[in-house]
Amino acid sequence: MTSNDEIGRELHTLRDYLRWAISEFGRAGLFFGHGTDNAFDEARMLVFHGLHLPLGTDPALLDARLTLVERQKVLALIQRRVEERLPAAYLTNEAWFAGLSFYVDERVLVPRSPIAELIAQDFEPWLSARPQRILDLCTGSGCIGIACAYQFDEAMVDLVDISLDALNVADINIARHDLGDRVSAVQSDVFDLLGGQTYDLIVSNPPYVDAQDLAAMPAEYQREPALGLASGPDGLDITRRILREAANHLNEEGVLIVEVGNSCVALDDAFPTVPFMWLEFEHGGHGVFAMSREQLLEYAESFA
């Protein structure tokens, strides 16, 4: 990269910095997959964040000139994105999920689950009634459970994770959304410390990346906590535990929703007699299944 001082002398307007950022991202061969899928949206996110401008800013401002301090701040963000391969969400400390803003940093994965679409649909037709108790298992930032708390405004929600670092971020988001009266962060290795608690809905986006995929991931994914990604040779170590134990923590009409992404093939291979119900998504995404408590009990011997 040319020095920031030299670049700052040649670039003047908001439009200049957007164009330059897009070019730098292309030159560096960045990977996009943490809230954006292209260089333009990524550049807009970082440049507008550096200038404290909303993403819907009037296009007429694109020709506004930046101050020296503003130019230095924007250049520093772009430089870190290129040189450190940090996902943009870690640079802005913000990610959006289910239409809601969440604080994120390098202690948690950047939210990107297709489960947001299921939340917006009230998990229909899987739930027979509005859930009163919800568990977000392997919660990370808490985005799934907090989005559920918005969707089901009378429900009590537990956000569970083994990582205290992740739970500290979840606590930030509980406070950010003023949900401390209904949402709680709980440390537990899967169900180990939940005692006899039961829920109407258990939703989980657990670690599910197999060893081969983990080694081949782009650098941006390597900046995320491995604890939130890796799950054994076939990506199913945590999912197997969930399948074995979830029925004990579901109420009679309870439902389990689990995302396993690309490990869906390995899951079908591991349990060939189990008819997993793989859900379809209008807005993209795959590898999410739904199972009732009744089904979990029916196939308990397979999961054991």
Side-chain angles (χ1 to χ4, degrees):
M1 234 186 218
T2 309
S3 74
N4 283 358
D5 288 343
E6 183 178 346
I7 295 166
R9 287 194 294 270
E10 297 184 11
L11 304 177
H12 305 286
T13 67
L14 181 54
R15 190 187 305 275
D16 289 341
Y17 282 86
L18 283 172
R19 197 284 308 159
W20 182 77
I22 294 167
S23 296
E24 283 298 292
F25 294 167
R27 177 193 64 79
L30 299 189
F31 185 88
F32 308 108
H34 295 89
T36 70
D37 61 5
N38 61 85
F40 174 79
D41 287 341
E42 191 97 349
R44 188 174 61 152
M45 179 185 296
L46 286 177
V47 173
F48 281 34
H49 170 80
L51 300 174
H52 305 286
L53 292 172
L55 291 179
T57 294
D58 188 336
L61 284 179
L62 290 177
D63 293 315
R65 294 172 67 92
L66 277 59
T67 68
L68 175 60
V69 171
E70 288 175 332
R71 294 199 299 267
Q72 291 172 338
K73 185 172 183 179
V74 169
L75 287 171
L77 283 170
I78 295 168
Q79 187 172 33
R80 290 195 69 196
R81 177 68 183 92
V82 169
E83 294 185 355
E84 300 178 38
R85 290 299 199 271
L86 278 169
Y90 289 159
L91 294 168
T92 65
N93 292 126
E94 183 179 44
W96 288 81
F97 179 81
L100 302 168
S101 170
F102 291 92
Y103 173 87
V104 296
D105 61 29
E106 291 172 85
R107 292 174 289 180
V108 295
L109 301 187
V110 178
R112 50 184 178 271
S113 172
I115 288 174
E117 188 173 320
L118 302 180
I119 297 171
Q121 297 168 352
D122 291 342
F123 293 96
E124 292 183 351
W126 314 110
L127 290 175
S128 59
R130 290 181 68 81
Q132 298 302 302
R133 297 206 70 216
I134 300 172
L135 170 61
D136 175 6
L137 192 61
C138 307
T139 189
S141 65
C143 62
I144 289 177
I146 288 172
C148 286
Y150 273 95
Q151 194 73 11
F152 304 104
D153 56 12
E154 296 181 356
M156 303 296 291
V157 181
D158 286 341
L159 312 179
V160 169
D161 207 289
I162 191 174
S163 167
L164 277 177
D165 282 342
L167 292 175
N168 287 335
V169 174
D171 277 329
I172 292 172
N173 285 316
I174 292 170
R176 184 181 187 131
H177 292 277
D178 194 23
L179 287 169
D181 59 332
R182 292 195 295 119
V183 181
S184 301
V186 181
Q187 186 184 26
S188 177
D189 185 358
V190 192
F191 297 106
D192 284 356
L193 300 182
L194 296 185
Q197 295 190 66
T198 58
Y199 302 87
D200 303 307
L201 173 65
I202 298 175
V203 187
S204 185
N205 179 12
Y208 60 70
V209 180
D210 65 47
Q212 183 175 351
D213 282 353
L214 188 68
M217 277 186 160
E220 283 80 356
Y221 289 101
Q222 304 288 348
R223 298 309 302 264
E224 294 186 293
L227 186 63
L229 294 168
S231 192
D234 63 358
L236 299 177
D237 283 3
I238 303 299
T239 302
R240 286 186 174 90
R241 292 184 60 189
I242 294 172
L243 290 169
R244 285 197 302 266
E245 302 170 27
N248 295 329
H249 296 275
L250 282 169
N251 294 324
E252 186 173 347
E253 300 296 324
V255 173
L256 171 70
I257 306 287
V258 181
E259 177 178 349
V260 295
N262 290 340
S263 294
C264 58
V265 175
L267 190 63
D268 277 332
D269 290 343
F271 302 105
T273 63
V274 178
F276 289 101
M277 176 62 69
W278 297 106
L279 309 186
E280 296 183 358
F281 296 92
E282 181 180 350
H283 303 295
H286 70 287
V288 179
F289 69 84
M291 294 196 81
S292 67
R293 179 177 183 270
E294 182 180 355
Q295 291 171 317
L296 288 165
L297 291 173
E298 180 180 353
Y299 294 99
E301 186 174 336
S302 297
F303 300 141

